[in-house]
Amino acid sequence: MAATPCPTEDDEQQLFEHRKRIVKTSWRAIQFALDEKATKVFYDRLFSEYPSVRPMFKDDMTAQYKKLYAAVSLAVKCLDDLEALVPVLQELGVRHATYGVVREHYDAVVDCFLWTLNTFIFSQMPAHNAINYAFDVADSWEWTLLLIGTTMADAADAAVALKETTT
């Protein structure tokens, strides 16, 4: 049996473009169908599955729903310009570290965000279409959310380390 060749740079670029297209398409669908309500569904799930993060937020979540919605919209829009997106994510990561956000919290966000997407997909599409689409959407969003979360967490870790060495 022949060995599977390693992906080429062209293969990686095609996968990157495919994932960007899926993320943008699925986000447009969410914007159209749910708008900011999607972030409420997300936070309800986050607080249900990870109650230890609830104290990090104010009781009135209205402003937070809008902030998350705007942040995800910006990230999706900027997937075509990672050089512009990365510094914004790094700044967000440093800011979130001051709220007590740690690397493990980003895993919780990925988990709950993917659950929200899959819940939306399966409620809006016939089951035979949703299964294949959900796999593509989950893969693409997981890649995107890991890019976002890793960038933010790395910047937060660096800021915390720098603060510890200077104090």
Side-chain angles (χ1 to χ4, degrees):
M1 184 184 301
T4 304
C6 293
T8 65
E9 201 171 300
D10 191 45
D11 293 337
E12 293 291 327
Q13 185 61 34
Q14 287 178 2
L15 182 57
F16 176 63
E17 294 300 326
H18 174 74
R19 285 174 168 159
K20 284 191 321 185
R21 186 172 49 255
I22 293 291
V23 165
K24 288 178 177 195
T25 302
S26 60
W27 186 246
R28 276 192 301 271
I30 289 168
Q31 287 177 308
F32 179 75
L34 293 177
D35 202 18
E36 289 175 13
K37 289 177 275 204
T39 59
K40 181 185 181 328
V41 171
F42 162 80
Y43 279 113
D44 288 348
R45 178 68 176 195
L46 181 68
F47 298 151
S48 165
E49 295 297 310
Y50 302 92
S52 64
V53 303
R54 183 61 182 99
M56 293 179 178
F57 297 89
K58 296 178 181 177
D59 288 336
D60 182 2
M61 291 291 294
T62 306
Q64 186 63 35
Y65 298 150
K66 292 178 182 187
K67 287 178 186 178
L68 177 62
Y69 184 81
V72 173
S73 295
L74 177 67
V76 169
K77 180 180 176 185
C78 290
L79 283 175
D80 287 324
D81 188 2
L82 292 179
E83 288 182 19
L85 179 59
V86 167
V88 172
L89 295 175
Q90 290 169 329
E91 182 181 320
L92 277 173
V94 171
R95 190 173 337 137
H96 279 75
T98 66
Y99 306 140
V101 175
V102 295
R103 190 171 290 274
E104 293 78 30
H105 294 139
Y106 293 101
D107 294 336
V109 167
V110 170
D111 178 46
C112 293
F113 200 95
L114 292 176
W115 178 88
T116 302
L117 285 169
N118 283 329
T119 300
F120 168 74
I121 290 167
F122 282 105
S123 71
Q124 299 295 317
M125 298 179 81
H128 64 281
N129 291 340
I131 291 170
N132 289 334
Y133 188 67
F135 176 79
D136 248 2
V137 170
D139 172 69
S140 298
W141 273 99
E142 184 173 20
W143 170 84
T144 301
L145 294 168
L146 289 173
L147 169 76
I148 291 168
T150 300
T151 302
M152 290 176 68
D154 288 350
D157 290 348
V160 168
L162 179 63
K163 185 176 180 181
E164 288 174 354
T165 61
T166 59
T167 55

